[in-house]
Amino acid sequence: MGQEHEGVAVERAGSVVALAQALVRCSSRAGIDDYEPVLGVLEDWLAERRVPCRRLVAASGGSVGLLVEIRGGRPGPWWALDACVDTAPFGDESAWSFPPISGEVVDGWLLGRGSSDSKIAAALFCHLAAELLPLAGSFAGGLAVLLDVDEHTGGFGGARTYLTEDHTPRPAGVLIGYPGLDEVVVGGRGLWRATIAVHAPSGHSGSSRSVVGAITRAARLVQLLDAADLPGAPGTGFPLAPKLSVTAIRGGEGYSVVPDRCELNVDVRTTPGFDAGEAETLVRKAVAELDADLPAPRPTEITPVASWPPFRLTEGDQPAAALLDAVRGAGLTVRAKTAGPSNIGNLLAGEGIPATAGFGVPYEGLHAVDERAHLAELPVVYEVYRQAVLALLDAS
């Protein structure tokens, strides 16, 4: 990198950090805070640079994100950059060694909730849009930047609204700005989730009549689910095995009443070799065994609540190829990873849209105390995304 270009990169990185600091200082915890302040920061910044953006509004009427659209001068596919600006909650604030909305830079780290996930990426993508806007005439297709404020709820309202708008070009692929310098996530396990309502006769805990309560029946169901036979990871293609977890149990109140209802949350992570249908069949088999072994006045009820497919791109599939090529062109070594946790890439896969998730600055404390993002690598991360987007847009 020449001295002049290096100076521009450092100046640009400083501007990215300044915008990220302003975003971190706007508390935007999913489902807790008002998103207007953080959206306002983004809108003001984009407006000052005459970058076109508009609100994404859910059917319920609330704002769920911002969308920047840059139309190219030639026909071609559209591509999207995606970063959320809502965050996980703070947790125990007394455990933090700095304020959760600090926004300060200390020893090369940007401090605060959302600094790594994903306000630094949002700031970077806004700067990239501002830089590329004057070059739009040379692009084939177009570039969208999606700034979601309904991501950490699991609702992904910004992405869902973006994809369902009839007048909005549908992206051929999406680059999701999660942090981490060593990996590019090109796949992930899917999921099948359900709530299970277990019934039983109610009763008094001190009664001479013994009843098998809903909590006892629910505990037995947990045992059956934990013992369920899931296939192992396949030898080739998809590297992870499916996984079943009981993640919540609700039922009972006080001490003297044996409850007649208990609810479980079940989360099954799926793979190409064990899909959502097979996950549901496995859970229904365990429920049928429970109802046969410990009968109750009402059968156990299963209510599916979410299902996303697994996905995996090869290193030659776009947009993974463009991002990986740009990473290697910058002299970095990364691993193409299939993730165990699901992410917005699964939602996109369900829509037939390929996505990568990750490549960004190093981080610590994501979704935990003392979240922070390391800034020294920001110039190279910016240049990687710049080169990847230019390749996808076939800029000439």
Side-chain angles (χ1 to χ4, degrees):
M1 187 182 293
Q3 265 190 335
E4 182 178 352
H5 187 70
E6 184 175 357
V8 170
V10 171
E11 182 179 354
R12 183 195 299 119
S15 181
V16 172
V17 171
L19 177 56
Q21 287 179 291
L23 296 174
V24 170
R25 287 169 177 152
C26 290
S27 183
S28 53
R29 294 166 294 176
I32 299 174
D33 293 319
D34 181 2
Y35 301 134
E36 288 301 315
V38 74
L39 291 173
V41 168
L42 290 166
E43 286 174 321
D44 289 347
W45 192 93
L46 292 165
E48 285 178 12
R49 290 149 185 86
R50 299 184 179 179
V51 178
C53 78
R54 59 185 175 85
R55 289 285 182 105
L56 294 172
V57 179
S60 61
S63 294
V64 287
L66 291 179
L67 184 67
V68 173
E69 294 172 293
I70 300 175
R71 186 176 296 275
R74 296 179 287 131
W78 278 67
W79 305 91
L81 301 171
D82 171 58
C84 61
V85 289
D86 66 332
T87 73
F90 298 152
D92 180 4
E93 295 186 48
S94 68
W96 287 66
S97 60
F98 47 80
I101 56 170
S102 165
E104 294 299 317
V105 174
V106 177
D107 296 330
W109 292 88
L110 173 60
L111 309 182
R113 176 62 82 226
S115 56
S116 58
D117 183 16
S118 296
K119 291 179 176 181
I120 193 76
L124 187 155
F125 290 164
C126 285
H127 279 75
L128 188 57
E131 179 185 350
L132 296 183
L133 180 60
L135 309 177
S138 67
F139 298 161
L143 175 68
V145 178
L146 171 62
L147 304 166
D148 200 332
V149 290
D150 189 35
E151 199 259 22
H152 283 85
T153 61
F156 299 106
R160 292 182 190 276
T161 302
Y162 167 46
L163 296 176
T164 55
E165 289 186 336
D166 293 336
H167 59 279
T168 301
R170 194 173 180 84
V174 178
L175 301 173
I176 303 166
Y178 291 146
L181 198 67
D182 301 324
E183 298 171 338
V184 172
V185 175
V186 296
R189 285 190 292 207
L191 60 80
W192 179 83
R193 288 174 175 163
T195 59
I196 302 177
V198 177
H199 302 283
S202 61
H204 194 292
S205 60
S207 172
S208 60
R209 184 174 68 92
S210 179
V211 298
V212 178
I215 290 177
T216 300
R217 296 188 76 241
R220 174 59 180 153
L221 180 56
V222 172
Q223 291 177 326
L224 292 171
L225 292 171
D226 284 346
D229 187 20
L230 277 71
T236 59
F238 201 87
L240 300 176
K243 183 181 180 183
L244 185 153
S245 303
V246 177
T247 57
I249 184 167
R250 299 173 294 277
E253 184 176 359
Y255 293 92
S256 62
V257 177
V258 178
D260 59 2
R261 179 185 173 95
C262 191
E263 283 191 349
L264 307 177
N265 288 0
V266 177
D267 178 283
V268 185
R269 299 305 166 114
T270 60
T271 67
F274 186 80
D275 63 16
E278 290 167 300
E280 183 169 356
T281 297
L282 182 145
V283 171
R284 290 192 180 279
K285 180 181 177 182
V287 163
E289 185 174 345
L290 170 72
D291 286 349
D293 291 349
L294 295 175
R298 294 175 57 187
T300 301
E301 300 166 337
I302 301 172
T303 304
V305 296
S307 179
W308 290 350
F311 74 101
R312 181 170 171 82
L313 308 183
T314 71
E315 294 191 22
D317 293 331
Q318 294 291 18
L323 183 57
L324 290 168
D325 285 348
V327 168
R328 292 163 185 149
L332 301 175
T333 300
V334 298
R335 179 169 68 99
K337 176 185 177 182
T338 299
S342 302
N343 57 57
I344 193 172
N346 298 91
L347 171 67
L348 295 166
E351 297 284 336
I353 299 171
T356 63
F359 184 73
V361 298
Y363 65 93
E364 292 180 357
L366 188 147
H367 289 194
V369 300
D370 287 355
E371 181 179 350
R372 57 184 186 166
H374 200 248
L375 301 175
E377 296 80 3
L378 183 57
V380 70
V381 170
Y382 184 97
E383 187 62 20
V384 163
Y385 275 107
R386 179 176 178 275
Q387 292 300 328
V389 168
L390 288 173
L392 290 169
L393 293 171
D394 191 25
S396 60

